[in-house]
Amino acid sequence: MPFTSASVMSPEGKGSSLGPADHGSLLDTCERALGRARGFQRPILASWSRPLDVGDPVSVWSRARRSTQRSFLWQSPWDGGSLVAIGSARALRGRGEHRVRAVRDGWRTLVKDLVTGGVAATGLPVGEGPLAIGGFSFRAEDAYETGRLPDALMWVPALQIRSAVPVPGAEGRPVPAELRLNAVLLHDSDPEQVADSLIHLAHLCLTPDPDAERRRQRDRPGQTCHSTELPGAEDWKGLVRGATDRIRAGEFEKVVLAREVRVTASAPFDLPAAVERMRGANPGTTVFAVDHEEYTFLGATPEYLVQVGDRTVHALGLAGTTPRGATPEQDEACERELVGSAKIRHEHEVVVSMLRDALADSCTDVTAETPPQVVKLANVQHLSTKVRGRLAEDSTAGVLDLVEALHPTPALGGHPRAQALSWLADNEGLDRSWYAGVVGWADRSGQGQFAVAIRSALLDGPTASLYAGCGLVADSDPEAEYAETCAKLRPMMSALGIE
């Protein structure tokens, strides 16, 4: 493939090109990686970067995802940053009980002899260099049995764009960002071909297409949908009664029971439109979308599992739910009921205690904010407690180690963990896939962010599996728990245009 200049532009058409100097620098990076691959007789990751200005990350993702079977979108309120990743330089997989560890070990090995080039951007949120992105299923056996999303899949993107926090009052203007191109070189790789392919990918992804949205809207057919509840409503309420019987018998203290609504549409769903609706209707949530082959897993989650930056660790306990009120007065009454419920406070404290105990294994100065805060979303409100710690001086733990230690929390599976998960495996009858799993990213120094993948859906063309669950304790009421899941399903139904 001959080298051609790749234009990297903002929505206003102002930008710079990836010209001969950039190509030369990228080629030099690839050649140095090739030399190291031949010397060490193993694959070597090359990562080249340069600053640029970008417009709306969702627009970049919407355009760029058409060029590959694997892409990633991440927009988080935790630090205001965004991440768009296209293509795959190297996949990291795991299976079974130690799947997170397998991915972690593969990532550490890959970045051990990393070769870098170009110019890194400044002023970005936490995280540096090439990233490993992706996620993990709720249960190890889910993806193994169904063949949908893998048990564990993280990958190094061929192209990644990390954006800084937009400047207040500068909405719609380009924001500082970093373009990073990644490739794995083998002993027989052609570095010039690798460099040309990466430049070509940047051209495909970043050259604006002003007519793309018009064409997409023009080609959208009218759509009808048919929905099926799995299991049916009465059967699911029967499972709630069965779970509370077991809790009262002392088998476990809490279990989180999920259900699925499977929607079949007359045409494939408009995913960029769904993402736009999600972020517009759910401020304060982390919006994510993972494309893997024919599947897309997307959501707008209010919950994070863990964040690690500058050796500070943050976890979040989000457990205890009540609806939003139709009026301000009703909303305040619902909030008082949420805060004052002994049942809900106990359910919440189980989660927070587990987080404190898990962080104490690798952190010092572990603290949990008190009292719990109330997080208000479009359809529900939750009790929320932030837990914070500082990695001990002698700790080598990184974000993936903490994912393995924390997932799944009692807010997603139950307590005690082993007994609750065993009951779910025997009774829930549901492939959660990555619902209630984790999605996020890690860098080579162990920093990273992982969200709990709730308020989410798994899509395959015109078919969507939407998920919701709730925590059950001894006095849980089946009708109230069913109503809670209906409220939790509403955001994704609205995002996909299912009413």
PDB file of all heavy atoms in Angstrom, residues 472-496:
ATOM      1  N   LEU A 472     -32.019  -9.417  46.390  1.00  0.00           N
ATOM      2  CA  LEU A 472     -33.072 -10.023  47.206  1.00  0.00           C
ATOM      3  C   LEU A 472     -32.534 -10.348  48.589  1.00  0.00           C
ATOM      4  O   LEU A 472     -31.438 -10.907  48.733  1.00  0.00           O
ATOM      5  CB  LEU A 472     -33.584 -11.303  46.548  1.00  0.00           C
ATOM      6  CG  LEU A 472     -34.034 -11.202  45.081  1.00  0.00           C
ATOM      7  CD1 LEU A 472     -34.493 -12.567  44.579  1.00  0.00           C
ATOM      8  CD2 LEU A 472     -35.127 -10.163  44.911  1.00  0.00           C
ATOM      9  N   VAL A 473     -33.333 -10.005  49.598  1.00  0.00           N
ATOM     10  CA  VAL A 473     -33.049 -10.403  50.972  1.00  0.00           C
ATOM     11  C   VAL A 473     -34.290 -11.096  51.515  1.00  0.00           C
ATOM     12  O   VAL A 473     -35.247 -11.352  50.764  1.00  0.00           O
ATOM     13  CB  VAL A 473     -32.653  -9.178  51.827  1.00  0.00           C
ATOM     14  CG1 VAL A 473     -31.298  -8.638  51.402  1.00  0.00           C
ATOM     15  CG2 VAL A 473     -33.708  -8.074  51.741  1.00  0.00           C
ATOM     16  N   ALA A 474     -34.295 -11.408  52.788  1.00  0.00           N
ATOM     17  CA  ALA A 474     -35.324 -12.292  53.330  1.00  0.00           C
ATOM     18  C   ALA A 474     -36.740 -11.785  53.120  1.00  0.00           C
ATOM     19  O   ALA A 474     -37.662 -12.567  52.843  1.00  0.00           O
ATOM     20  CB  ALA A 474     -35.063 -12.518  54.814  1.00  0.00           C
ATOM     21  N   ASP A 475     -36.970 -10.484  53.241  1.00  0.00           N
ATOM     22  CA  ASP A 475     -38.339  -9.970  53.144  1.00  0.00           C
ATOM     23  C   ASP A 475     -38.624  -9.283  51.811  1.00  0.00           C
ATOM     24  O   ASP A 475     -39.529  -8.448  51.720  1.00  0.00           O
ATOM     25  CB  ASP A 475     -38.634  -9.016  54.305  1.00  0.00           C
ATOM     26  CG  ASP A 475     -37.641  -7.861  54.370  1.00  0.00           C
ATOM     27  OD1 ASP A 475     -36.621  -7.907  53.650  1.00  0.00           O
ATOM     28  OD2 ASP A 475     -37.875  -6.924  55.164  1.00  0.00           O
ATOM     29  N   SER A 476     -37.900  -9.629  50.760  1.00  0.00           N
ATOM     30  CA  SER A 476     -38.164  -9.037  49.447  1.00  0.00           C
ATOM     31  C   SER A 476     -39.533  -9.471  48.922  1.00  0.00           C
ATOM     32  O   SER A 476     -39.922 -10.640  49.051  1.00  0.00           O
ATOM     33  CB  SER A 476     -37.074  -9.450  48.449  1.00  0.00           C
ATOM     34  OG  SER A 476     -35.831  -8.888  48.789  1.00  0.00           O
ATOM     35  N   ASP A 477     -40.229  -8.535  48.316  1.00  0.00           N
ATOM     36  CA  ASP A 477     -41.571  -8.777  47.787  1.00  0.00           C
ATOM     37  C   ASP A 477     -41.487  -8.987  46.276  1.00  0.00           C
ATOM     38  O   ASP A 477     -40.966  -8.114  45.562  1.00  0.00           O
ATOM     39  CB  ASP A 477     -42.482  -7.592  48.087  1.00  0.00           C
ATOM     40  CG  ASP A 477     -43.834  -7.719  47.413  1.00  0.00           C
ATOM     41  OD1 ASP A 477     -44.571  -8.661  47.748  1.00  0.00           O
ATOM     42  OD2 ASP A 477     -44.126  -6.896  46.513  1.00  0.00           O
ATOM     43  N   PRO A 478     -41.997 -10.108  45.740  1.00  0.00           N
ATOM     44  CA  PRO A 478     -41.871 -10.377  44.300  1.00  0.00           C
ATOM     45  C   PRO A 478     -42.441  -9.289  43.410  1.00  0.00           C
ATOM     46  O   PRO A 478     -41.842  -8.950  42.386  1.00  0.00           O
ATOM     47  CB  PRO A 478     -42.616 -11.707  44.123  1.00  0.00           C
ATOM     48  CG  PRO A 478     -42.528 -12.362  45.461  1.00  0.00           C
ATOM     49  CD  PRO A 478     -42.597 -11.245  46.461  1.00  0.00           C
ATOM     50  N   GLU A 479     -43.593  -8.732  43.773  1.00  0.00           N
ATOM     51  CA  GLU A 479     -44.202  -7.694  42.931  1.00  0.00           C
ATOM     52  C   GLU A 479     -43.342  -6.437  42.909  1.00  0.00           C
ATOM     53  O   GLU A 479     -43.127  -5.834  41.850  1.00  0.00           O
ATOM     54  CB  GLU A 479     -45.610  -7.366  43.433  1.00  0.00           C
ATOM     55  CG  GLU A 479     -46.605  -8.507  43.343  1.00  0.00           C
ATOM     56  CD  GLU A 479     -46.918  -8.906  41.904  1.00  0.00           C
ATOM     57  OE1 GLU A 479     -46.727  -8.079  40.990  1.00  0.00           O
ATOM     58  OE2 GLU A 479     -47.341 -10.057  41.697  1.00  0.00           O
ATOM     59  N   ALA A 480     -42.831  -6.050  44.067  1.00  0.00           N
ATOM     60  CA  ALA A 480     -42.004  -4.843  44.131  1.00  0.00           C
ATOM     61  C   ALA A 480     -40.684  -5.048  43.384  1.00  0.00           C
ATOM     62  O   ALA A 480     -40.200  -4.138  42.704  1.00  0.00           O
ATOM     63  CB  ALA A 480     -41.743  -4.473  45.584  1.00  0.00           C
ATOM     64  N   GLU A 481     -40.100  -6.245  43.497  1.00  0.00           N
ATOM     65  CA  GLU A 481     -38.837  -6.502  42.813  1.00  0.00           C
ATOM     66  C   GLU A 481     -39.037  -6.531  41.295  1.00  0.00           C
ATOM     67  O   GLU A 481     -38.191  -6.036  40.544  1.00  0.00           O
ATOM     68  CB  GLU A 481     -38.231  -7.827  43.291  1.00  0.00           C
ATOM     69  CG  GLU A 481     -37.978  -7.908  44.785  1.00  0.00           C
ATOM     70  CD  GLU A 481     -36.971  -6.896  45.290  1.00  0.00           C
ATOM     71  OE1 GLU A 481     -36.221  -6.335  44.468  1.00  0.00           O
ATOM     72  OE2 GLU A 481     -36.929  -6.665  46.517  1.00  0.00           O
ATOM     73  N   TYR A 482     -40.150  -7.081  40.846  1.00  0.00           N
ATOM     74  CA  TYR A 482     -40.440  -7.089  39.401  1.00  0.00           C
ATOM     75  C   TYR A 482     -40.598  -5.653  38.893  1.00  0.00           C
ATOM     76  O   TYR A 482     -40.068  -5.297  37.832  1.00  0.00           O
ATOM     77  CB  TYR A 482     -41.698  -7.903  39.123  1.00  0.00           C
ATOM     78  CG  TYR A 482     -42.058  -7.966  37.658  1.00  0.00           C
ATOM     79  CD1 TYR A 482     -41.391  -8.824  36.796  1.00  0.00           C
ATOM     80  CD2 TYR A 482     -43.056  -7.142  37.140  1.00  0.00           C
ATOM     81  CE1 TYR A 482     -41.714  -8.876  35.448  1.00  0.00           C
ATOM     82  CE2 TYR A 482     -43.383  -7.182  35.793  1.00  0.00           C
ATOM     83  CZ  TYR A 482     -42.707  -8.052  34.955  1.00  0.00           C
ATOM     84  OH  TYR A 482     -43.017  -8.090  33.616  1.00  0.00           O
ATOM     85  N   ALA A 483     -41.318  -4.832  39.666  1.00  0.00           N
ATOM     86  CA  ALA A 483     -41.497  -3.432  39.263  1.00  0.00           C
ATOM     87  C   ALA A 483     -40.155  -2.709  39.200  1.00  0.00           C
ATOM     88  O   ALA A 483     -39.920  -1.864  38.326  1.00  0.00           O
ATOM     89  CB  ALA A 483     -42.443  -2.729  40.239  1.00  0.00           C
ATOM     90  N   GLU A 484     -39.256  -3.043  40.120  1.00  0.00           N
ATOM     91  CA  GLU A 484     -37.927  -2.415  40.114  1.00  0.00           C
ATOM     92  C   GLU A 484     -37.168  -2.765  38.839  1.00  0.00           C
ATOM     93  O   GLU A 484     -36.519  -1.901  38.231  1.00  0.00           O
ATOM     94  CB  GLU A 484     -37.137  -2.857  41.341  1.00  0.00           C
ATOM     95  CG  GLU A 484     -35.747  -2.246  41.422  1.00  0.00           C
ATOM     96  CD  GLU A 484     -34.981  -2.698  42.651  1.00  0.00           C
ATOM     97  OE1 GLU A 484     -35.581  -2.690  43.751  1.00  0.00           O
ATOM     98  OE2 GLU A 484     -33.798  -3.051  42.519  1.00  0.00           O
ATOM     99  N   THR A 485     -37.232  -4.034  38.414  1.00  0.00           N
ATOM    100  CA  THR A 485     -36.534  -4.405  37.183  1.00  0.00           C
ATOM    101  C   THR A 485     -37.139  -3.698  35.974  1.00  0.00           C
ATOM    102  O   THR A 485     -36.420  -3.332  35.045  1.00  0.00           O
ATOM    103  CB  THR A 485     -36.554  -5.926  36.965  1.00  0.00           C
ATOM    104  OG1 THR A 485     -37.892  -6.390  36.837  1.00  0.00           O
ATOM    105  CG2 THR A 485     -35.852  -6.653  38.096  1.00  0.00           C
ATOM    106  N   CYS A 486     -38.447  -3.513  35.982  1.00  0.00           N
ATOM    107  CA  CYS A 486     -39.078  -2.783  34.864  1.00  0.00           C
ATOM    108  C   CYS A 486     -38.540  -1.360  34.780  1.00  0.00           C
ATOM    109  O   CYS A 486     -38.262  -0.855  33.682  1.00  0.00           O
ATOM    110  CB  CYS A 486     -40.598  -2.774  35.036  1.00  0.00           C
ATOM    111  SG  CYS A 486     -41.395  -4.380  34.804  1.00  0.00           S
ATOM    112  N   ALA A 487     -38.382  -0.713  35.938  1.00  0.00           N
ATOM    113  CA  ALA A 487     -37.839   0.647  35.946  1.00  0.00           C
ATOM    114  C   ALA A 487     -36.396   0.663  35.459  1.00  0.00           C
ATOM    115  O   ALA A 487     -35.979   1.580  34.740  1.00  0.00           O
ATOM    116  CB  ALA A 487     -37.933   1.232  37.354  1.00  0.00           C
ATOM    117  N   LYS A 488     -35.619  -0.361  35.814  1.00  0.00           N
ATOM    118  CA  LYS A 488     -34.218  -0.407  35.396  1.00  0.00           C
ATOM    119  C   LYS A 488     -34.073  -0.725  33.905  1.00  0.00           C
ATOM    120  O   LYS A 488     -33.065  -0.374  33.291  1.00  0.00           O
ATOM    121  CB  LYS A 488     -33.475  -1.450  36.229  1.00  0.00           C
ATOM    122  CG  LYS A 488     -33.277  -1.031  37.685  1.00  0.00           C
ATOM    123  CD  LYS A 488     -32.609  -2.141  38.494  1.00  0.00           C
ATOM    124  CE  LYS A 488     -32.299  -1.690  39.906  1.00  0.00           C
ATOM    125  NZ  LYS A 488     -31.714  -2.793  40.724  1.00  0.00           N
ATOM    126  N   LEU A 489     -35.054  -1.389  33.313  1.00  0.00           N
ATOM    127  CA  LEU A 489     -35.012  -1.698  31.885  1.00  0.00           C
ATOM    128  C   LEU A 489     -35.359  -0.493  31.013  1.00  0.00           C
ATOM    129  O   LEU A 489     -34.974  -0.433  29.842  1.00  0.00           O
ATOM    130  CB  LEU A 489     -35.985  -2.835  31.562  1.00  0.00           C
ATOM    131  CG  LEU A 489     -35.545  -4.241  31.975  1.00  0.00           C
ATOM    132  CD1 LEU A 489     -36.738  -5.181  31.974  1.00  0.00           C
ATOM    133  CD2 LEU A 489     -34.457  -4.763  31.046  1.00  0.00           C
ATOM    134  N   ARG A 490     -36.067   0.454  31.584  1.00  0.00           N
ATOM    135  CA  ARG A 490     -36.601   1.553  30.785  1.00  0.00           C
ATOM    136  C   ARG A 490     -35.537   2.373  30.047  1.00  0.00           C
ATOM    137  O   ARG A 490     -35.729   2.729  28.891  1.00  0.00           O
ATOM    138  CB  ARG A 490     -37.458   2.449  31.668  1.00  0.00           C
ATOM    139  CG  ARG A 490     -38.751   2.915  31.009  1.00  0.00           C
ATOM    140  CD  ARG A 490     -39.727   3.480  32.006  1.00  0.00           C
ATOM    141  NE  ARG A 490     -40.480   2.443  32.698  1.00  0.00           N
ATOM    142  CZ  ARG A 490     -40.772   2.456  33.998  1.00  0.00           C
ATOM    143  NH1 ARG A 490     -40.351   3.442  34.759  1.00  0.00           N
ATOM    144  NH2 ARG A 490     -41.469   1.495  34.530  1.00  0.00           N
ATOM    145  N   PRO A 491     -34.392   2.720  30.693  1.00  0.00           N
ATOM    146  CA  PRO A 491     -33.402   3.528  29.961  1.00  0.00           C
ATOM    147  C   PRO A 491     -32.910   2.877  28.672  1.00  0.00           C
ATOM    148  O   PRO A 491     -32.790   3.552  27.644  1.00  0.00           O
ATOM    149  CB  PRO A 491     -32.277   3.686  30.975  1.00  0.00           C
ATOM    150  CG  PRO A 491     -32.935   3.563  32.311  1.00  0.00           C
ATOM    151  CD  PRO A 491     -34.010   2.552  32.105  1.00  0.00           C
ATOM    152  N   MET A 492     -32.622   1.573  28.690  1.00  0.00           N
ATOM    153  CA  MET A 492     -32.139   0.927  27.486  1.00  0.00           C
ATOM    154  C   MET A 492     -33.248   0.764  26.456  1.00  0.00           C
ATOM    155  O   MET A 492     -33.006   0.860  25.243  1.00  0.00           O
ATOM    156  CB  MET A 492     -31.531  -0.441  27.798  1.00  0.00           C
ATOM    157  CG  MET A 492     -30.117  -0.382  28.337  1.00  0.00           C
ATOM    158  SD  MET A 492     -28.955   0.563  27.307  1.00  0.00           S
ATOM    159  CE  MET A 492     -29.177  -0.208  25.718  1.00  0.00           C
ATOM    160  N   MET A 493     -34.482   0.542  26.897  1.00  0.00           N
ATOM    161  CA  MET A 493     -35.589   0.456  25.955  1.00  0.00           C
ATOM    162  C   MET A 493     -35.766   1.789  25.230  1.00  0.00           C
ATOM    163  O   MET A 493     -35.967   1.837  24.016  1.00  0.00           O
ATOM    164  CB  MET A 493     -36.858   0.036  26.674  1.00  0.00           C
ATOM    165  CG  MET A 493     -36.773  -1.358  27.281  1.00  0.00           C
ATOM    166  SD  MET A 493     -38.321  -1.953  27.998  1.00  0.00           S
ATOM    167  CE  MET A 493     -39.189  -2.471  26.515  1.00  0.00           C
ATOM    168  N   SER A 494     -35.668   2.873  25.996  1.00  0.00           N
ATOM    169  CA  SER A 494     -35.785   4.194  25.383  1.00  0.00           C
ATOM    170  C   SER A 494     -34.629   4.463  24.420  1.00  0.00           C
ATOM    171  O   SER A 494     -34.819   5.007  23.327  1.00  0.00           O
ATOM    172  CB  SER A 494     -35.831   5.273  26.454  1.00  0.00           C
ATOM    173  OG  SER A 494     -36.967   5.120  27.278  1.00  0.00           O
ATOM    174  N   ALA A 495     -33.415   4.074  24.816  1.00  0.00           N
ATOM    175  CA  ALA A 495     -32.252   4.308  23.962  1.00  0.00           C
ATOM    176  C   ALA A 495     -32.387   3.582  22.636  1.00  0.00           C
ATOM    177  O   ALA A 495     -31.983   4.114  21.577  1.00  0.00           O
ATOM    178  CB  ALA A 495     -30.977   3.862  24.682  1.00  0.00           C
ATOM    179  N   LEU A 496     -32.958   2.394  22.649  1.00  0.00           N
ATOM    180  CA  LEU A 496     -33.099   1.602  21.416  1.00  0.00           C
ATOM    181  C   LEU A 496     -34.388   1.913  20.676  1.00  0.00           C
ATOM    182  O   LEU A 496     -34.666   1.310  19.631  1.00  0.00           O
ATOM    183  CB  LEU A 496     -33.050   0.109  21.762  1.00  0.00           C
ATOM    184  CG  LEU A 496     -31.704  -0.390  22.305  1.00  0.00           C
ATOM    185  CD1 LEU A 496     -31.829  -1.830  22.774  1.00  0.00           C
ATOM    186  CD2 LEU A 496     -30.621  -0.268  21.246  1.00  0.00           C
TER     187      LEU A 496
END
